Amino acid sequence: MVRTTLSAAESRRVVLAAQGFGRPPADTVVTRSLSAGINRLGLLQIDSVNVFERSHYLPLFARLGPYDRTALDRLTFAKRGPYLEYWAHEAAFIPRDDLRLFRWKMDAMRERDAAPVRVEHVTRTESVRRELHAMLRAEGPMPASAVEHESNVRRGPWWGWSDVKLGLELMFRWGDVVSAGRSGFERVYALPSQVLPAGFLETAPARADAIRELVGRASRALGVGTRADIADYYRLRSDDTAAAIAELQDAGELLPVRVEGWREQAWMHADARVPRTMTTSAVLSPFDPVVWFRRRAERMYGFHYRIEIYTPAPKRVFGYYVLPMLQDDTLVGRVDLKSDRQRGVLRVRTAWQEDDAVLDADRLADTLRRAAAWQGLDGIEVTDRGTAARALAGALGVPLVPHVAADDADAPEPAAADATV
């Protein structure tokens, strides 16, 4: 039966099923399962903040359970691995073959960077970019740090990209260089001919065809969404998205639906399931597709979420690195986690229950035990800050410890915003 309406709860279950939640956990997560998980999502957003765990590791942990992170590194960090990086949402790992779907975006970024408000960076780095191209051609792939030297000038209030980093990033945006894996957590740059088949980018589909493919993939990954939801997944223009939706609707790939409580028209992918129930328990990255579009998270889950890393400590409400807590089809709370690797302890610096939700502290405790074991940590410590802290400590069987000012004083690491290099 073709669905034309969904209840609010059904829409949440459709989305979570499309995102890979609700499946029985495997005893062992093999590399093939990791690849299937990435391909289902279409991308893993990258962020270098490493308070609990770097962001791109967390979506697969939330869906699959504990896995060997070095197995994911082999998929995403290798010079010619099956995944590489581009600005697909923000900086993200994507299937290597999908890079062609962003050829039009490379051209659009080159054109945008030539606009009067941006061209100063392009002009200033012109000679540097020529030198970088020659160096890569002569010496092969390398990270920005291999080219940095004392005369580089740092600019900007946070991480101050030098002209070397800025030049490489412009070339990366335009497709003049591509990623060749990572060294540690630093992106390695290469000329396209050094890591891609001959003529790879030249065989890219036309702009309209590529956007239609991306809209189809976003719709499949979302299960159901509005035009804004679908456009946000790959950061597409609203008008381009609307045109692609119309074509895919005509082709029967997208089905128009009305969702309870949504003012906007929505579309459900023809392959989407409407599960009768959803059973899952997970902590989510701030950059998980379930919550990365904050307006959608608020509309679907009643969950007002703002990452507070760059908020001055006295103005933070919930904590420094706060992760939404998913139980079944509801976002029931949030926890501020820190992996204290020196002490071998997962620190729950704050734990909060949403005002209108029912948080199962025992299930949260089990989720955090799995997270601690996955991180190689032996214990869990809960501070006394947050509406769910006492219940969580009781479920874990640990005493509450005093929340101290230092828990709120973390500042971004110098490279925290610089996840692209």
Side-chain angles (χ1 to χ4, degrees), residues 326-345:
L326 175 68
Q327 290 183 346
D328 300 333
D329 66 356
T330 305
L331 294 174
V332 296
R334 51 193 97 195
V335 286
D336 181 8
L337 300 182
K338 179 184 177 72
S339 293
D340 188 336
R341 296 172 179 88
Q342 288 187 334
R343 295 173 55 218
V345 171

Side-chain angles (χ1 to χ4, degrees), residues 105-275:
K105 189 171 187 178
M106 297 172 186
D107 296 337
M109 285 188 165
R110 189 188 299 270
E111 182 177 349
R112 186 175 68 173
D113 288 335
V117 294
R118 295 174 177 266
V119 74
E120 186 269 333
H121 295 310
V122 177
T123 302
R124 193 181 77 228
T125 61
E126 184 173 1
S127 62
V128 172
R129 286 184 281 111
R130 284 198 300 268
E131 293 176 13
L132 289 167
H133 191 280
M135 184 176 295
L136 289 169
R137 186 174 61 246
E139 301 183 26
M142 63 181 65
S145 62
V147 193
E148 295 279 29
H149 50 79
E150 292 180 0
S151 64
N152 290 147
V153 178
R154 299 181 65 80
R155 296 179 172 87
W158 282 101
W159 61 95
W161 284 1
S162 69
D163 285 349
V164 166
K165 289 184 178 180
L166 179 58
L168 283 169
E169 182 57 23
L170 288 172
M171 295 167 74
F172 178 72
R173 285 155 56 90
W174 304 340
D176 293 347
V177 300
V178 296
S179 71
R182 284 192 170 236
S183 175
F185 198 68
E186 186 179 16
R187 180 189 293 150
V188 176
Y189 295 89
L191 301 180
S193 61
Q194 293 170 333
V195 294
L196 299 175
F200 180 85
L201 291 175
E202 288 68 27
T203 61
R207 181 179 186 276
D209 294 336
I211 290 173
R212 185 172 59 252
E213 179 66 23
L214 291 171
V215 166
R217 295 187 185 199
S219 302
R220 184 186 297 274
L222 289 171
V224 62
T226 66
R227 179 175 64 180
D229 298 340
I230 295 167
D232 178 76
Y233 207 84
Y234 288 109
R235 296 291 167 86
L236 304 173
R237 282 176 30 168
S238 179
D239 56 347
D240 289 335
T241 303
I245 287 174
E247 292 183 25
L248 293 170
Q249 180 177 329
D250 288 344
E253 187 172 336
L254 296 185
L255 308 174
V257 295
R258 287 290 177 183
V259 179
E260 177 189 7
W262 296 18
R263 289 179 296 178
E264 300 90 349
Q265 174 69 55
W267 287 266
M268 186 165 68
H269 196 277
D271 294 339
R273 298 185 299 110
V274 187

Side-chain angles (χ1 to χ4, degrees), residues 39 56 94 96 117 121 126 129 149 157 200 205 213 233 235 279 281 316 323 334 363 365 367 381 385 395 410 419:
N39 294 339
H56 71 281
I94 60 173
R96 177 173 293 266
V117 294
H121 295 310
E126 184 173 1
R129 286 184 281 111
H149 50 79
F200 180 85
E213 179 66 23
Y233 207 84
R235 296 291 167 86
T279 303
S281 181
R316 290 184 191 131
L323 309 182
R334 51 193 97 195
R363 293 178 69 188
T367 299
E381 182 178 274
R385 184 178 175 212
D410 292 61

Side-chain angles (χ1 to χ4, degrees), residues 49-52 158 308-316 319-322 336-341 347 349-350 383 385 403-414 416:
V49 174
N50 195 23
V51 178
F52 166 54
W158 282 101
E308 298 182 86
I309 288 175
Y310 299 112
T311 301
K315 295 184 178 181
R316 290 184 191 131
Y320 177 70
Y321 194 67
V322 176
D336 181 8
L337 300 182
K338 179 184 177 72
S339 293
D340 188 336
R341 296 172 179 88
R347 301 197 64 236
R349 298 189 290 187
T350 70
T383 82
R385 184 178 175 212
H403 187 85
V404 296
D407 288 328
D408 299 318
D410 292 61
E413 302 169 15

